[in-house]
């Protein structure tokens, strides 16, 4: 008997959890995904903070958005975005190995430092935040994405289209395709495969360059890839 391959998952059928969803980047992504009609759970260190932020996102979009602790959001999500400060990255992921097992985990964290000369990329033992996530979450399907998207644009209700490309990095073809589809749900945004996990460092580091551009030109710079 020949086994029939299961159809690839569709992003419209997935619950999207955003860990660190009370920060500008996480809240902005949750807002855009909810506006696109996706099922969204916003996570934070405490359920109370998450519920308050979720209520604001729901009011802004007219769509239902749930709030929960990071652990409960991780358990509820099919695709789980990690949008937390770099300083708490390892600790959070180590605490969530079990609820994140078997799930697509999208690491959006940029390890950056700031001094008098401006932003700069930090060295990460594993190579990048995304690779650190993969090393910790060995039972999850880790993908890197949404590193270079302006939180200001994501949260601005006057911005109807977020005109930027999102580089999606990973070693799992089905998972990267699903996350590209997630990016495509936001008007103006496009998800593009950007290489394997080992290439995540330069994508995360590019955020330092974009911040420098923003400061010089008083803008909210993004990334566009030509000829694709």
């Amino acid at each position: 008997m020949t086994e029939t391959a299961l159809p690839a998952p569709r992003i419209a059928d997935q619950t999207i959890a955003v860990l660190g969803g009370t920060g500008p980047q996480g809240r902005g992504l949750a807002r855009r995904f909810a506006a696109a009609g996706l099922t969204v759970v916003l996570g934070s260190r405490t359920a109370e903070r998450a519920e308050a932020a979720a209520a604001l996102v729901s009011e802004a979009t007219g769509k239902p958005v749930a709030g929960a602790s990071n652990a409960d959001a991780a358990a509820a999500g099919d695709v789980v975005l990690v949008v937390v400060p770099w300083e708490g990255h390892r600790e959070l992921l180590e605490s969530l190995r079990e609820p994140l097992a078997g799930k697509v985990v999208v690491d959006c964290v940029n390890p950056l430092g700031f001094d008098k000369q401006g932003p700069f990329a930090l060295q990460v033992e594993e190579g990048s935040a995304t690779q650190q996530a993969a090393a910790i979450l060995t039972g999850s399907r880790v993908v890197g994405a949404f590193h270079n998207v302006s939180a200001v644009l994501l949260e601005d209700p006057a911005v109807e289209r977020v005109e930027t490309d999102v580089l999606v990095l990973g070693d799992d073809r089905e998972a990267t395709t699903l996350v590209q589809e997630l990016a495509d749900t936001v008007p103006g945004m496009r998800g593009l495969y950007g290489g394997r996990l080992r290439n995540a460092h330069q994508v995360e580091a590019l955020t330092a360059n974009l911040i420098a551009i923003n400061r010089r030109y008083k803008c909210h710079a993004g990334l566009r890839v030509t000829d694709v």
Side-chain angles (χ1 to χ4, degrees):
M1 181 181 294
T2 302
E3 291 187 7
T4 302
L6 293 174
R10 297 172 59 253
I11 200 63
D13 300 328
Q14 309 296 298
T15 295
I16 312 302
V18 183
L19 310 186
T22 54
Q25 189 84 2
R27 192 171 56 236
L29 287 169
R31 178 191 182 110
R32 296 293 171 167
F33 297 147
L38 301 180
T39 301
V40 177
V41 180
L42 192 152
S44 186
R45 284 175 292 179
T46 68
E48 291 77 16
R49 289 186 64 199
E51 289 165 359
L56 293 175
V57 173
S58 182
E59 181 180 0
T61 61
K63 306 288 186 178
V65 178
S69 68
N70 280 327
D72 287 342
D78 300 304
V79 177
V80 182
L81 278 69
V82 180
V83 198
V84 298
W86 168 242
E87 293 75 17
H89 184 259
R90 178 185 292 278
E91 181 181 1
L92 176 68
L93 295 184
E94 287 178 342
S95 72
L96 296 178
R97 281 193 183 98
E98 185 175 343
L100 292 176
K103 301 187 176 185
V104 174
V105 176
V106 187
D107 201 286
C108 313
V109 176
N110 298 309
L112 299 179
F114 297 85
D115 60 19
K116 292 181 180 180
Q117 297 184 64
F120 62 96
L122 299 175
Q123 295 297 315
V124 179
E125 181 180 354
E126 294 86 354
S128 65
T130 305
Q131 287 169 290
Q132 183 182 92
I136 295 169
L137 304 174
T138 55
S140 303
R141 305 164 72 187
V142 175
V143 174
F146 301 106
H147 298 100
N148 311 135
V149 184
S150 166
V152 174
L153 295 182
L154 289 172
E155 289 211 282
D156 189 342
V159 176
E160 296 182 359
R161 296 177 57 85
V162 182
E163 299 287 352
T164 193
D165 288 338
V166 172
L167 293 182
V168 180
L169 303 111
D171 299 334
D172 182 320
R173 179 71 173 267
E174 185 177 271
T176 57
T177 298
L178 187 66
V179 177
Q180 286 175 249
E181 187 182 345
L182 176 61
D184 291 344
T185 64
V186 180
M189 192 178 288
R190 183 174 63 155
L192 294 176
Y193 174 68
R196 299 231 176 215
L197 286 181
R198 66 184 184 182
N199 294 317
H201 167 72
Q202 56 263 39
V203 177
E204 296 172 9
L206 183 61
T207 303
N209 301 90
L210 293 176
I211 293 172
I213 291 169
N214 291 343
R215 289 181 174 180
R216 174 65 64 91
Y217 297 102
K218 311 301 182 188
C219 63
H220 303 294
L223 176 70
R224 276 298 192 199
V225 178
T226 62
D227 201 32
V228 178

